[in-house]
Amino acid sequence: MDEEEMTYLEGGKEIANLSKKQCINGLCAIGLSPQVAIAGALTYTLAKCLINKVSKFGGLATAVVAGILTWAAGQVIAFGKGLARGALNNGVRVSWNWNPFKEAVGIGITVKY
């Protein structure tokens, strides 16, 4: 069974295969970009406002919003860690998993050695 077939059966789809150089360039672009700092600050502010608005309703609504924001933040962190590990090694394979019965839905990073 080849890798594409394995990926399909596991419910995921490979979306990128980044070399070590691409990981380094990506980290540099992210780290040196003022737009990233602005986007991060805006995202944090919007998330905080959204949680404050929803918390007035309390209960399930707050839990759902907090869960979605936590998941999204985790995806960003996972991608950043993958780029960093790929820059230190030989690169990374980035995949997206859509099947919640196999694994958590979201980004998967496999470091190439």
Side-chain angles (χ1 to χ4, degrees), residues 53-65:
K53 295 281 185 194
V54 172
S55 65
K56 292 178 183 178
F57 299 108
L60 183 61
T62 303
V64 169
V65 170

Side-chain angles (χ1 to χ4, degrees), residues 24-84:
I24 292 169
N25 290 342
L27 284 175
C28 289
I30 291 168
L32 298 175
S33 170
Q35 292 88 349
V36 171
I38 292 168
L42 284 174
T43 303
Y44 174 79
T45 304
L46 289 173
K48 189 76 171 159
C49 289
L50 184 60
I51 288 174
N52 288 339
K53 295 281 185 194
V54 172
S55 65
K56 292 178 183 178
F57 299 108
L60 183 61
T62 303
V64 169
V65 170
I68 291 169
L69 292 174
T70 302
W71 173 80
Q75 294 297 291
V76 172
I77 291 167
F79 187 72
K81 283 183 179 179
L83 278 181

